Amino acid sequence: MSEPTGRIVRGIEHGLVGCEACGLVLERPAHGSDCPRCGTPVHARRPESLARSWAFLVAAMILYVPANLLPVLHSTKLFESWSDTILSGVVALWEDGAYDLAIIVFTASIVVPLLKMGALALLLLEVQRGGRQLPRERALLYRILEYIGHWSMLDVFAVALLVTLVHFGALASVEPGSGIVAFGAVVVLTMLATMSFDPRLNWDTPRRRVTSLPAAPAVKPDTAKDPLSP
Amino acid sequence: MTTSTTKIRPDLAICEHCDSVHQRLPLERGEAADCHVCGATLYRRPMLDLDAMLALTVAALIVFVVANAAPLVTMESGGNTTRGWLLSLVATTWTSGVGAVSAILIGTVFLFPLAQILLYFYVLQACRLKQQASRFVDAMHWLRRLRPWSMVQVFLIGTLVSIIKMSHLASVKPEPGLWAFGVLTILLTALGTFELRELWALHEEAANT
Ligand SMILES: [Zn+2]
Ligand SMILES: [Zn+2]
């Protein structure tokens, strides 16, 4: 790849649109037309992407409060009974000396959802104010968000198994609490918020910044591609 | 320049993450072309051919049946043995008042992965036999929509975490169903490496011959 690649050719500037569903590249598609290969409506940018993403994100943020305050488990053992929230479950694991588990659950259930919501809010705000900083880093952040989204469901599944096995015990019983429903909803809503965001918006900024990127610093030696010659 | 009719440009690829335009180049098996602007994968040529992928879907279906028929874990406590299957998790969460968790379980760990396997079989078979499958477009759209909601791998790790959590309370033993879920995770990950976009192109070729 000796060819200089400082010049970035963007589809929107050349009337080229990639179908979101099947990837087919269309030249100057008529407004409101469908992809000839898969029938999906063709958009240069997803319509109402920011509004949808914000709606799901705000709903997730609101539900994050009950997800952490409401108990996820009600336990009874002989004459004793208590309730656990996600955080108190982590603390209990830590006090029992199960540090590795405490860290896994803390990361998947508390850190990941918080980081996800924070990072997505950051991306949305940056796009809205027309920010042109670090598009490459923001693109990477979005791909990470997409990748880790469903891992927060881990605790929901763990609670389901716990409840099933201890449910019928003679001495002890465990019932799920409504916190786990709120938590599952937070995970689903953050996933929907991430999917609604159109990552191409990260790059829709005045061109001077984008075109001044250094020449292809991240090209892997084994990848085969060239930009369209202008 | 003045034409208003939509032209198809199979020679180009546009990055879905940053909208940069790339010349599509032929790849060797197992190679991927990355976007040099944002680093996302543009397209790739899968390591396995259609026959191998089809064999994977059949294997995944068999493993799926085993994973659901065999118990995941058994727990011994006070002379009682409790077994847990995926579907018994669905049932207990339903009856203990958290229907939403039950719905998430049956969707993300049972229905969506099963649908994925069957749809993969259908579209791969259509490409292999070079047939114009009538529901190909619908099947492909569903495969794309279902992909993020299929959570077998998360379920597997969640179950392992839960087993370790309980192991100091009672004697909890992993059972064949859990191993089957492990294998299913690997098979579904392998299937997931097959780019749906390549299948569109393959099917289009088949339809035009
Ligand atoms: Zn399309
Ligand atoms: Zn890109």
Side-chain angles (χ1 to χ4, degrees):
Chain A
M1 299 287 131
S2 53
E3 184 190 343
T5 47
R7 171 96 168 75
I8 292 165
V9 180
R10 309 200 61 236
I12 201 162
E13 293 158 8
H14 292 260
L16 294 165
V17 184
C19 172
E20 275 187 76
C22 75
L24 189 67
V25 177
L26 306 170
E27 201 173 310
R28 268 175 274 283
H31 186 73
S33 62
D34 293 342
C35 170
R37 181 156 76 180
C38 74
T40 305
V42 179
H43 307 289
R45 295 291 176 267
R46 257 170 244 171
E48 303 297 320
S49 159
L50 292 178
R52 270 171 220 238
S53 202
W54 269 123
F56 286 126
L57 181 60
V58 168
M61 284 168 164
I62 293 169
L63 277 172
Y64 187 74
V65 179
N68 280 282
L69 293 181
L70 294 176
V72 291
L73 282 175
H74 301 288
S75 315
T76 317
K77 200 174 186 179
L78 291 174
F79 306 106
E80 226 186 315
S81 80
W82 69 96
S83 297
D84 270 319
T85 61
I86 289 178
L87 193 60
S88 73
V90 172
V91 171
L93 280 173
W94 188 267
E95 284 171 348
D96 286 352
Y99 303 118
D100 43 357
L101 278 185
I103 290 168
I104 291 177
V105 176
F106 183 74
T107 309
S109 308
I110 294 172
V111 178
V112 169
L114 266 183
L115 276 183
K116 260 196 87 165
M117 292 188 290
L120 194 58
L122 198 79
L123 288 180
L124 287 165
L125 288 171
E126 192 67 8
V127 165
Q128 270 176 336
R129 68 175 198 88
R132 63 200 69 143
Q133 309 287 315
L134 306 171
R136 191 188 280 269
E137 284 71 14
R138 285 188 280 137
L140 180 65
L141 186 60
Y142 180 75
R143 287 206 299 283
I144 294 172
L145 288 182
E146 253 189 336
Y147 179 75
I148 60 172
H150 52 299
W151 280 101
S152 307
M153 211 55 106
L154 195 140
D155 221 33
V156 176
F157 296 148
V159 164
L161 183 70
L162 189 68
V163 166
T164 302
L165 289 183
V166 192
H167 199 53
F168 308 107
L171 298 174
S173 88
V174 174
E175 292 280 341
S178 45
I180 202 70
V181 173
F183 188 80
V186 169
V187 180
V188 170
L189 286 167
T190 48
M191 284 176 72
L192 288 170
T194 311
M195 287 175 203
S196 306
F197 181 73
D198 190 334
R200 292 173 293 191
L201 295 173
N202 278 332
W203 302 80
D204 285 346
T205 49
R207 282 178 56 192
R208 58 200 144 99
R209 173 79 192 184
V210 179
T211 48
S212 67
L213 278 172
V219 173
K220 293 185 189 166
D222 60 338
T223 59
K225 80 277 146 214
D226 277 305
L228 173 74
S229 26
Chain B
M1 191 69 201
T2 51
T3 174
S4 62
T5 48
T6 306
K7 224 174 99 189
I8 296 168
R9 296 292 301 268
D11 56 319
L12 300 179
I14 293 188
C15 177
E16 57 181 324
H17 285 265
C18 71
D19 199 31
S20 60
V21 183
H22 302 259
Q23 198 78 48
R24 199 178 264 275
L25 297 174
L27 295 180
E28 294 292 315
R29 200 163 262 192
E31 267 189 342
D34 290 353
C35 171
H36 75 283
V37 179
C38 75
T41 304
L42 278 175
Y43 51 93
R44 64 172 104 228
R45 181 143 168 234
M47 193 75 110
L48 300 169
D49 61 12
L50 282 175
D51 288 341
M53 293 302 288
L54 212 54
L56 273 187
T57 57
V58 174
L61 188 60
I62 294 166
V63 174
F64 181 87
V65 172
V66 173
N68 284 285
L72 298 165
V73 278
T74 50
M75 186 171 88
E76 306 257 357
S77 123
N80 299 28
T81 307
T82 318
R83 285 198 173 79
W85 286 265
L86 170 61
L87 290 175
S88 62
L89 265 64
V90 172
T92 28
T93 43
W94 182 261
T95 52
S96 50
V98 285
V101 172
S102 182
I104 290 173
L105 267 171
I106 200 162
T108 61
V109 192
F110 188 85
L111 292 177
F112 301 160
L114 178 60
Q116 255 189 324
I117 295 168
L118 297 175
L119 288 168
Y120 263 121
F121 184 83
Y122 179 78
V123 297
L124 289 165
Q125 185 72 356
C127 289
R128 202 179 67 106
L129 297 178
K130 300 200 178 302
Q131 278 176 353
Q132 183 73 51
S134 54
R135 315 293 295 176
F136 182 84
V137 171
D138 294 332
M140 288 292 283
H141 283 314
W142 278 109
L143 270 177
R144 185 174 56 89
R145 288 183 201 124
L146 286 177
R147 188 171 268 188
W149 302 104
S150 171
M151 302 191 194
V152 169
Q153 72 282 50
V154 183
F155 177 73
L156 177 71
I157 303 298
T159 308
L160 287 173
V161 166
S162 198
I163 288 174
I164 306 169
K165 253 187 194 173
M166 281 184 282
S167 60
H168 66 286
L169 297 170
S171 104
V172 186
K173 229 171 60 223
E175 294 287 336
L178 194 65
W179 308 131
F181 265 105
V183 178
L184 188 60
T185 299
I186 297 166
L187 290 173
L188 286 177
T189 310
L191 277 173
T193 61
F194 209 98
E195 284 286 301
L196 294 177
R197 295 178 169 203
E198 300 310 308
L199 282 177
W200 282 110
L202 273 173
H203 185 254
E204 202 164 56
E205 271 169 39
N208 291 339
T209 48

